[in-house]
């Protein structure tokens, strides 16, 4: 279930993403590109976008088009 944390002036919303550990990009589960990720590179992730970015991941273009906001 989505949650929000506003400590220290930051806001994080938890969501479901599909990670490509080869390209270091994250996708929304509804993205057709997520279906094309090889099983050996694919990982399901539940957490915040900010956490993914802090782990060195970048958003795929589909994530931007679908309304995931740019990093603040």
């Amino acid at each position: 279930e989505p949650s929000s944390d506003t400590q220290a002036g930051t806001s994080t919303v938890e969501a479901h993403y599909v990670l490509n550990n080869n390209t270091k990009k994250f996708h929304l589960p509804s993205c057709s590109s997520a279906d094309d990720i090889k099983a050996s590179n694919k990982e399901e992730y539940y957490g915040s976008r900010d956490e993914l970015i802090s782990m060195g991941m970048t958003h795929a273009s589909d994530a931007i088009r679908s309304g995931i906001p740019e990093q603040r």
Side-chain angles (χ1 to χ4, degrees):
E1 180 170 313
S3 66
S4 180
D5 179 5
T6 57
Q7 290 180 327
T10 62
S11 177
T12 58
V13 176
E14 292 190 358
H16 176 209
Y17 300 100
V18 178
L19 311 184
N20 183 328
N21 289 314
N22 182 49
T23 64
K24 303 296 184 199
K25 295 207 180 273
F26 59 91
H27 302 262
L28 295 172
S30 59
C31 171
S32 61
S33 296
D35 294 334
D36 297 332
I37 302 170
K38 289 182 181 180
S40 59
N41 296 328
K42 190 174 190 176
E43 180 181 346
E44 301 289 325
Y45 177 85
Y46 295 89
S48 77
R49 179 184 182 281
D50 290 343
E51 288 172 350
L52 286 170
I53 291 169
S54 72
M55 293 167 31
M57 303 293 285
T58 57
H59 49 75
S61 59
D62 68 288
I64 297 168
R65 287 191 304 269
S66 297
I68 294 176
E70 289 291 332
Q71 186 175 8
R72 294 178 213 99

